[in-house]
Amino acid sequence: MDGSDRMLKLVLLFIAVLLGMIAARPYLVPEMTVGADSGRFDYLTVVSPAYLYNGRQGVLLMDKRNGNVWFLGKYTDNMKVTFADPLFLAHLPLEKVDEVTR
């Protein structure tokens, strides 16, 4: 009975060492944590990448925070694209989307 008792103690010691290695791993080799950060202009949505407004081509944007629609006029000069200051076009009442009409 002494031999089986010694074998049981060895198996339990082996299991304890393995569990200790698993428990100590995060402290010895910490895992890399990734922090997801939203983009700087994540509240803007491109409604139309090619929109004509008063004869000028540009980009139509919607601000999801307040429902404002903006137009950015595009200028092309010798293969260089630049954009004008944003022009306010309209306000979309996004709060009415939740209202039920019957």
Side-chain angles (χ1 to χ4, degrees):
M1 189 121 150
D2 189 35
S4 65
D5 189 39
R6 182 175 292 169
M7 185 65 165
L8 176 66
K9 289 181 181 180
L10 281 174
V11 169
L12 289 177
L13 178 66
F14 182 71
I15 292 172
V17 167
L18 286 178
L19 287 175
M21 289 172 51
I22 292 172
R25 182 176 173 218
Y27 298 107
L28 300 176
V29 183
E31 294 182 21
M32 299 296 281
T33 57
V34 177
D37 190 16
S38 62
R40 184 173 171 194
F41 300 107
D42 63 340
Y43 54 87
L44 290 175
T45 301
V46 176
V47 177
S48 175
Y51 184 77
L52 284 176
Y53 178 72
N54 289 341
R56 266 190 5 201
Q57 186 179 4
V59 179
L60 196 63
L61 301 172
M62 186 181 77
D63 188 347
K64 291 187 282 186
R65 297 175 299 179
N66 50 20
N68 289 342
V69 178
W70 298 88
F71 174 76
L72 293 170
K74 183 167 43 169
Y75 298 108
T76 306
D77 182 33
N78 200 13
M79 300 293 289
K80 183 179 177 187
V81 177
T82 57
F83 290 95
D85 290 335
L87 225 82
F88 176 76
L89 294 184
H91 172 73
L92 298 175
L94 297 176
E95 59 274 357
K96 291 192 177 194
V97 173
D98 290 335
E99 294 177 5
V100 178
T101 58
R102 294 191 190 233

